[in-house]
Amino acid sequence: MAARLQNKVACITGAAQGIGAGIAEAMAKEGAQIIIGDVNDDGAQSLAKQIGANAVHLDVSSQEDWQALQDHVEEQFGRLDILVNNAGLELVKPMQDHSLAEWRKVMAVNVDGLFLGCKTFEALLRESGKPGSPASVINISSIAGLVGYPDQLAYNTSKGAVRHMSKSLAIEWAAHGDAIRCNSIHPGCIRTPMLEMAVDGWVENGSVPADDPWSAVAALCPLNTVGLPEDIAMGAIYLGSDESRFVTGIELVIDGGWVAR
């Protein structure tokens, strides 16, 4: 049986660790050629060596970095079939403690970064996609983009924007006859460095007990467990493959039942 992403080229941002690394590893196993874009050069290079990928420095809030990445992809591969906008920034504190600079930094990474990525790669994605095998943009949002959580206003708002940007682009590309699909994935509690930072904030504000915070977090999910990066990666594999060629503009929630409850 052929690998599900054979002959596809995939670019994944924020893939030096966590969910992005899980997606990069899984897509490589399914036959995709992988480009990792991250500000963490050492982590990106290390993973690239492990999975036979390319690693390129990328600050997603920098238009110049996006253009350099686009030039690299076009020169090395001449096509792009899958763009995974995964890079993100968390901020856990009450609104009154948010500075305007912190708010803008979260938006620059979580929202502007997606806009720049989609805008920069639109032409190459359009050229690479075709009827029956459209290009795929996968934007990593969060269940925080669907429901509210205390003390993380900037993050929640940014992830809500990711959801709506994904739907808007799905409809725009379809309206223009472009063979590009766009969907968002909404992870729940996934054991990553970002979630570990968030849990520290929840302990500090009393949302979960300090003596056993992870059991408390797991108990919030109907499946009574905390997810792993590979759980999200399986959703990304589906959305990146031609199995989902008729799927665009959806939000794929992978959260152990959190939002349903």
Side-chain angles (χ1 to χ4, degrees), residues 108-245:
V109 173
N110 295 2
V111 182
D112 297 354
L114 269 71
F115 164 75
L116 289 170
C118 293
K119 182 177 174 62
T120 302
F121 275 110
E122 181 184 52
L124 194 56
L125 289 162
R126 184 186 297 116
E127 293 171 6
S128 302
K130 58 185 181 293
S133 183
S136 177
V137 174
I138 304 167
N139 294 325
I140 306 302
S141 180
S142 167
I143 56 173
L146 299 171
V147 296
Y149 290 93
D151 299 336
Q152 50 184 61
L153 179 66
Y155 180 77
N156 297 347
T157 303
S158 72
K159 291 303 184 178
V162 170
R163 172 184 178 271
H164 202 71
M165 188 189 306
S166 301
K167 290 184 180 296
S168 297
L169 283 172
I171 299 306
E172 179 171 325
W173 282 326
H176 289 287
D178 297 326
I180 310 172
R181 299 181 293 108
C182 188
N183 298 286
S184 56
I185 294 180
H186 297 254
C189 285
I190 307 298
R191 191 72 185 253
T192 64
M194 182 179 290
L195 180 62
E196 289 170 357
M197 183 187 75
V199 170
D200 288 342
W202 296 343
V203 168
E204 186 176 337
N205 68 26
S207 298
V208 295
D211 58 338
D212 192 6
W214 287 101
S215 292
V217 172
L220 294 171
C221 302
L223 292 183
N224 197 36
T225 188
V226 174
L228 299 173
E230 48 261 44
D231 297 316
I232 308 306
M234 292 302 98
I237 293 292
Y238 169 68
L239 290 176
S241 75
D242 291 338
E243 296 164 19
S244 61
R245 65 186 183 183

